[in-house]
């Protein structure tokens, strides 16, 4: 009787073990095998897949798993092994010893690939940043960059670009971003000489971010204009470049180009990158207001952005009405938000647009109105509001904002009759801008298409087709689940 019971209970653990999902350590070992395959075959796409798989495992990393993986992938007792172990927290030391005993016997000095060394640096660096151990992260990032300078392999470039990003992030989180500017310029020069285009993209964006962080817009524009440009290899890096370009153009008063860059960055950004899309929309709203446009209400009602864009919605409402007093109140109420977004200086520029909008509404409503009433309606708070109103009206007439004349003898503003807009060239300009926008979007979509290499030369077998379809499904799944940590 007891034997029957024992026989029934014995298979239970094996079934549960076989059906249990693979652990994080097992996933990391599979990634290490993928790195080996990509390094030996010199296939960069496999290394790119490694980065995507790692981002999916990011939340599951802990000190015990990392220690076990370091014992698996690196030679125990080597200089790199000891350095990376020194960055890990010591509270799980007993668990690490157990993992060392179990996994260290599996392989000894098997992996000596530079790609795997850089990947170990990347894993430890991501873990330290997530644990907010920024000083250790800076030390780890500096050591990894020193190692990267001695490597010139195309399969390392993808991992190197991620290390550059976290290298800059670790210094930014500690407020020491200016310290690495010279090093970033040196790395960009090295990447240019090695024809590492992905590294050039990443480092150019990091340098632009470095300059803009300290409001060095002139230096950022000089670097951007002289840096080599080529077809974008990473959508994320291209989005960042468009965002920084839009900010530079805004400060330089080139609002039309800035609007195009910012809106394109917001469209191209992944759905998961909510914070990045919010920043793009904030700057795009300000630029459109400076251009005299009023953004649609749907811009402020996008999913997940309602609260973040609320100050800019009230600001847009004040500009639309042309109420200078309401504009002042909104600017004071949300001054902390505008300062943190670094848009306060742009909002100061909007005062003239508010006055002009209010004056346009007055000219449409009244065929004749005194300058005293104009000053009251605009709520000018200067020492001589009538003289200011007269100069504002004169400038608006000269710029073509309103179609009116000034009767200086009686102190009146006389508005002319509004003509038929369809008898002018305005509809033609509007249609032309829409057509150009659609053609530009079509051309970008065509350029973004990807085709398998040599698809016209050799026919694909059924086995290769199944493997390709499986890889495409995994890629789509990982992209959909990809976190917005890069933004």
């Amino acid at each position: 009787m007891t034997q029957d019971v024992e026989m029934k209970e014995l298979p239970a653990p094996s079934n549960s073990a076989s059906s249990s999902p693979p652990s994080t350590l097992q996933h990391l070992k599979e990634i290490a095998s993928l790195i080996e395959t990509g390094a030996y075959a010199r296939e960069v796409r496999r290394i790119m897949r490694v980065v995507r798989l790692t981002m999916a495992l990011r939340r599951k990393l802990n000190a015990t798993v990392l220690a076990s993986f370091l014992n698996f992938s690196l030679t125990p007792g080597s200089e790199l092994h000891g350095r990376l172990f020194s960055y890990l927290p010591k509270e799980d030391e007993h668990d690490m010893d157990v993992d060392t005993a179990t996994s260290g016997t599996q392989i000894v000095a098997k992996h000596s690939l530079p790609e795997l060394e850089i990947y170990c640096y990347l894993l430890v660096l991501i873990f330290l940043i997530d644990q907010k151990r920024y000083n250790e992260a800076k030390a780890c990032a500096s050591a990894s960059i020193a190692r990267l300078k001695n490597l010139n392999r195309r399969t390392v470039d993808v991992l190197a670009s991620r290390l550059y990003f976290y290298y800059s992030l670790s210094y930014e989180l500690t407020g020491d971003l200016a310290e690495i500017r010279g090093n970033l310029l040196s790395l960009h020069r090295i990447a240019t000489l090695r024809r590492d285009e992905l590294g050039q993209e990443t480092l150019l964006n990091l340098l632009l971010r470095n300059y803009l962080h300290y409001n060095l817009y002139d230096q950022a524009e000089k670097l951007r204009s002289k840096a080599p440009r080529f077809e974008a290899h990473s959508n994320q890096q291209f989005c960042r470049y468009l965002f920084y370009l839009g900010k530079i153009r805004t400060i330089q008063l080139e609002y039309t180009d800035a609007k195009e860059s910012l809106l394109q960055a917001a469209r191209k950004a992944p759905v998961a990158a909510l914070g990045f899309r919010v920043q793009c929309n904030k700057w795009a709203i300000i630029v459109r207001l400076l251009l005299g446009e009023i953004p649609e209400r749907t811009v402020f009602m996008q999913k997940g952005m309602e609260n973040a864009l609320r100050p800019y919605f009230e600001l847009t409402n004040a500009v639309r009405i042309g109420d200078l007093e309401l504009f002042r109140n909104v600017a004071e109420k949300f001054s902390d938000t505008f300062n943190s977004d670094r848009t306060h200086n742009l909002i100061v520029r909007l005062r003239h647009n508010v006055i002009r909008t209010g004056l346009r509404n007055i000219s449409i409503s009244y065929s004749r109105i005194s300058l005293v009433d104009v000053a009251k309606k605009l709520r000018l708070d200067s020492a001589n509001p009538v003289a200011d109103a007269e100069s504002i009206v004169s400038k608006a007439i000269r710029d073509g904002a309103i179609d009116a004349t000034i009767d200086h003898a009686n102190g009146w503003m006389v508005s002319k009759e509004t003509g038929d807009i369809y008898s002018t060239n305005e509809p033609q300009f509007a249609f032309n801008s829409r057509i150009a926008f659609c053609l530009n979007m079509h051309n970008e979509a065509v350029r973004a298409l990807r085709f398998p290499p040599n698809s016209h030369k050799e026919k694909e077998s059924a086995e290769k087709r199944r493997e390709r379809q499986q890889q495409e499904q995994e890629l789509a799944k990982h992209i959909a689940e990809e976190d917005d940590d890069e933004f």
Side-chain angles (χ1 to χ4, degrees):
M1 189 71 177
T2 55
Q3 291 179 354
D4 292 338
V5 173
E6 290 175 359
M7 292 176 67
K8 291 180 181 178
E9 290 179 352
L10 281 175
S14 61
N15 290 335
S16 61
S18 61
S19 61
S20 61
S23 62
T24 305
L25 180 59
Q26 187 62 34
H27 282 299
L28 290 176
K29 291 180 180 180
E30 294 174 358
I31 290 175
S33 176
L34 190 61
I35 291 175
E36 279 190 333
T37 306
Y40 288 129
R42 297 182 181 180
E43 294 184 354
V44 179
R45 62 182 182 87
R46 293 184 183 271
I47 310 299
M48 296 179 68
R49 187 182 174 200
V50 163
V51 175
R52 290 192 295 268
L53 293 173
T54 304
M55 293 300 108
L57 295 175
R58 180 172 182 173
R59 299 181 185 275
K60 301 177 182 179
L61 295 178
N62 55 53
T64 305
V65 172
L66 284 178
S68 302
F69 181 70
L70 293 179
N71 289 326
F72 170 80
S73 57
L74 302 176
T75 305
S78 64
E79 181 184 358
L80 178 59
H81 183 273
R83 183 186 299 121
L84 292 178
F85 249 85
S86 64
Y87 299 132
L88 298 179
K90 300 298 188 295
E91 59 267 15
D92 296 333
E93 191 169 342
H94 176 70
D95 295 336
M96 292 182 193
D97 293 340
V98 174
D99 291 328
T100 302
T102 57
S103 61
T105 58
Q106 297 176 4
I107 185 166
V108 177
K110 178 182 178 182
H111 303 288
S112 58
L113 291 172
E115 289 84 359
L116 198 57
E117 294 180 14
I118 298 302
Y119 181 70
C120 291
Y121 271 117
L122 179 62
L123 274 183
V124 174
L125 183 55
I126 291 174
F127 171 74
L128 292 174
I129 291 177
D130 289 344
Q131 297 296 316
K132 299 183 179 180
R133 302 168 66 91
Y134 300 135
N135 291 327
E136 291 90 340
K138 285 170 59 177
C140 180
S142 300
S144 65
I145 294 300
R147 178 73 176 103
L148 272 176
K149 289 182 177 179
N150 299 323
L151 297 175
N152 185 11
R153 296 162 66 103
R154 298 287 72 81
T155 49
V156 176
D157 293 345
V158 178
L159 299 174
S161 66
R162 303 304 305 149
L163 272 179
Y164 297 147
F165 172 78
Y166 289 112
Y167 172 59
S168 177
L169 179 62
S170 61
Y171 277 83
E172 182 178 355
L173 292 173
T174 55
D176 302 326
L177 202 55
E179 295 180 8
I180 62 171
R181 189 180 304 152
N183 204 7
L184 290 177
L185 288 169
S186 175
L187 290 170
H188 185 270
R189 182 170 60 253
I190 293 172
T192 304
L193 294 174
R194 293 175 177 175
R195 300 185 182 275
D196 176 12
E197 296 185 350
L198 181 58
Q200 291 179 62
E201 277 185 344
T202 305
L203 289 166
L204 176 60
N205 286 331
L206 293 177
L207 284 166
L208 292 178
R209 182 180 183 86
N210 198 307
Y211 284 125
L212 298 184
H213 183 78
Y214 296 99
N215 297 323
L216 302 174
Y217 287 91
D218 291 337
Q219 295 185 33
E221 173 58 21
K222 288 179 181 178
L223 172 67
R224 188 208 63 80
S225 61
K226 297 181 187 306
R229 290 299 302 163
F230 36 79
E231 185 179 355
H233 290 263
S234 170
N235 181 60
Q236 288 86 352
Q237 298 301 331
F238 187 49
C239 290
R240 289 193 187 95
Y241 176 78
L242 290 173
F243 177 58
Y244 298 143
L245 178 61
K247 293 177 73 172
I248 294 171
R249 290 285 183 259
T250 303
I251 299 300
Q252 294 178 336
L253 307 181
E254 300 177 10
Y255 297 135
T256 303
D257 295 338
K259 171 192 168 185
E260 182 180 353
S261 298
L262 292 168
L263 292 179
Q264 190 176 1
R267 287 197 313 269
K268 283 181 169 291
V271 178
L274 182 61
F276 179 80
R277 291 192 294 119
V278 166
Q279 288 297 320
C280 290
N281 279 282
K282 287 179 178 179
W283 279 76
I285 290 168
I286 296 295
V287 169
R288 294 183 66 180
L289 291 176
L290 289 169
L291 282 171
E293 303 175 6
I294 303 298
E296 301 81 4
R297 183 180 289 267
T298 54
V299 174
F300 306 95
M301 297 296 129
Q302 299 180 63
K303 184 178 180 180
M305 300 187 188
E306 296 89 346
N307 294 331
L309 297 181
R310 184 69 188 179
Y312 295 87
F313 175 74
E314 296 191 16
L315 186 72
T316 302
N317 189 43
V319 175
R320 181 181 61 83
I321 298 173
D323 191 336
L324 194 59
E325 185 66 25
L326 179 60
F327 175 77
R328 291 196 200 98
N329 294 336
V330 172
E332 292 176 1
K333 179 181 177 182
F334 299 105
S335 59
D336 294 337
T337 302
F338 297 144
N339 285 325
S340 63
D341 294 337
R342 299 193 174 192
T343 56
H344 186 267
N345 292 335
L346 301 177
I347 291 171
V348 172
R349 300 182 189 177
L350 280 175
R351 182 179 182 275
H352 179 68
N353 293 62
V354 176
I355 294 174
R356 176 172 291 189
T357 303
L359 188 60
R360 188 183 301 114
N361 294 337
I362 292 172
S363 67
I364 294 174
S365 303
Y366 297 90
S367 59
R368 185 178 67 185
I369 185 172
S370 66
L371 295 175
V372 177
D373 292 335
V374 170
K376 290 180 180 179
K377 289 184 176 297
L378 293 178
R379 300 186 184 184
L380 301 177
D381 54 354
S382 58
N384 192 354
V386 178
D388 287 346
E390 185 175 359
S391 64
I392 290 171
V393 171
S394 301
K395 188 174 186 304
I397 293 173
R398 185 192 66 187
D399 295 341
I402 59 175
D403 192 6
T405 58
I406 297 179
D407 186 349
H408 295 280
N410 297 317
W412 292 337
M413 182 186 76
V414 181
S415 301
K416 298 180 181 178
E417 289 187 11
T418 57
D420 184 12
I421 193 173
Y422 289 98
S423 62
T424 65
N425 292 329
E426 288 297 325
Q428 178 185 351
F429 295 148
F431 280 119
N432 183 60
S433 64
R434 295 178 186 179
I435 293 170
F437 171 78
C438 293
L439 290 175
N440 186 32
M441 180 179 292
H442 174 267
N443 293 334
E444 290 175 1
V446 171
R447 284 196 295 267
L449 291 175
R450 294 182 180 179
F451 300 95
N454 299 326
S455 59
H456 61 288
K457 295 182 180 179
E458 54 184 20
K459 293 185 177 180
E460 193 177 31
S461 63
E463 183 178 355
K464 288 185 177 180
R465 188 186 305 110
R466 284 195 299 269
E467 182 181 356
R468 177 178 57 80
Q469 291 176 351
Q470 183 179 0
Q471 290 179 357
E472 290 177 354
Q473 291 175 359
E474 292 179 0
L475 174 61
K477 180 180 178 182
H478 288 303
I479 291 178
E481 296 176 353
E482 188 177 25
D483 193 16
D484 60 341
D485 64 300
E486 294 184 353
F487 289 88

